[in-house]
Amino acid sequence: MDDVFISYCVVTGSFLGFQLLFLAISPQIFTKYSRTYRQLSFGKQCEWDSRCVSTTHALIVGSACLYILAYDDAVNADPIWGDPFWVKMNVAITCGYLVHDLLLLARFWKVMGDPYMVSHHLAVFYSYGYVLNRGVLPYFANFRLISELSTPFVNQRWFFDVIGKPRSSWPVLLNGFAMALVFFIVRIAVIPSYYSQVVATFGTEGYIRLGTGPQVAWIVSCVVLDILNVFWMYKIACGFYKVVKAKPGGKPRRNHAD
């Protein structure tokens, strides 16, 4: 069976699975077991369910990325044209999630709208379309997806706010530190290494075979994503610094987490 067909089957299955988690599984579980969830407005319940979906996606995709990076010799040996099958499956899961999330943002824009997140999703779609359709750049696509490992900590900060945990409490501070550290490691610290590998491919036979379309998609999307990552890292660092400097017992803010 053609890999492209399989990839889009996985995209569809991923979208439906995340929709099921958002529409049925998460609401049923938390309505039954969480008093805080039951007291939230409809919009906040939607955001709660959305962040559960986001965390689930991040754990699945992030774990798969680490496995591929460690054990997929074909991809590591040829970062542009190596056997992309498992990377394509992982990318397909992410694309299904992105379709789900974009539809959700459009439906609940007043509550959850975030233009930076929309820019992020569109940039990812732009580049990953080439991965799904042509199977190119598997190593670099997988490397970018490792950044999802920071997402669970970002979502947990929001959950702490909603349940009323003071931002000066130890669980919140520890999560904030872990969030800043992991975000820095998987999204910022890797930038020099990543682009050094990108530059090393320039002029090679594999790079030339890509053609202009994939080359532009690759470089432009990476630059956009890293500008957003630096911006988010700045906001995370500023927020963590303010919390550490704040007096003990301060009340958490209830606004939408960045």
Side-chain angles (χ1 to χ4, degrees):
M1 188 179 294
D2 183 74
D3 280 1
V4 175
F5 177 75
I6 295 175
S7 297
Y8 281 98
C9 287
V10 174
V11 172
T12 303
S14 170
F15 169 75
L16 294 176
F18 288 127
Q19 284 286 89
L20 179 64
L21 178 57
F22 173 78
L23 293 172
I25 298 175
S26 179
Q28 288 184 11
I29 291 175
F30 290 107
T31 297
K32 184 175 181 180
Y33 294 108
S34 174
R35 184 174 62 181
T36 299
Y37 180 87
R38 293 194 296 269
Q39 294 173 344
L40 294 175
S41 66
F42 175 73
K44 284 296 183 182
Q45 286 182 348
C46 288
E47 185 166 3
W48 180 299
D49 296 327
S50 172
R51 288 180 182 273
C52 288
V53 173
S54 172
T55 296
T56 301
H57 163 260
L59 292 174
I60 293 172
V61 171
S63 299
C65 284
L66 293 178
Y67 178 85
I68 292 169
L69 190 64
Y71 297 108
D72 197 326
D73 295 333
V75 168
N76 294 327
D78 185 353
I80 298 180
W81 293 96
D83 182 4
F85 181 78
W86 292 113
V87 173
K88 287 176 70 173
M89 297 304 101
N90 212 26
V91 166
I93 293 172
T94 290
C95 287
Y97 166 74
L98 293 177
V99 173
H100 155 81
D101 204 44
L102 283 171
L103 291 176
L104 193 65
L105 288 172
R107 181 181 178 186
F108 299 106
W109 184 259
K110 291 183 178 180
V111 177
M112 302 167 57
D114 185 343
Y116 296 107
M117 190 61 66
V118 172
S119 299
H120 171 274
H121 287 4
L122 293 178
V124 170
F125 263 129
Y126 177 48
S127 58
Y128 283 172
Y130 285 101
V131 180
L132 291 180
N133 293 316
R134 293 185 53 184
V136 297
L137 303 166
Y139 175 85
F140 296 103
N142 185 68
F143 202 96
R144 301 300 311 197
L145 274 178
I146 294 175
S147 64
E148 288 299 322
L149 290 172
S150 65
T151 300
F153 300 100
V154 176
N155 289 334
Q156 187 58 47
R157 181 184 66 167
W158 185 88
F159 287 124
F160 277 142
D161 275 0
V162 170
I163 65 175
K165 278 280 186 182
R167 288 199 169 182
S168 58
S169 65
W170 278 110
V172 177
L173 288 174
L174 289 174
N175 180 75
F177 176 76
M179 176 181 68
L181 179 63
V182 174
F183 194 100
F184 177 78
I185 291 173
V186 301
R187 293 179 184 253
I188 305 300
V190 297
I191 288 177
S193 172
Y194 180 82
Y195 283 101
S196 68
Q197 294 180 70
V198 172
V199 172
T201 67
F202 289 175
T204 64
E205 180 184 353
Y207 179 82
I208 295 171
R209 283 174 56 199
L210 283 174
T212 303
Q215 291 170 358
V216 172
W218 179 21
I219 303 304
V220 170
S221 63
C222 287
V223 171
V224 171
L225 291 173
D226 285 325
I227 289 174
L228 289 171
N229 285 332
V230 170
F231 171 72
W232 284 329
M233 183 73 247
Y234 171 77
K235 295 189 71 175
I236 288 172
C238 289
F240 184 67
Y241 176 77
K242 289 178 181 178
V243 170
V244 170
K245 297 293 288 184
K247 63 181 180 179
K251 294 182 179 180
R253 293 177 299 179
R254 299 280 182 163
N255 59 311
H256 175 71
D258 299 316

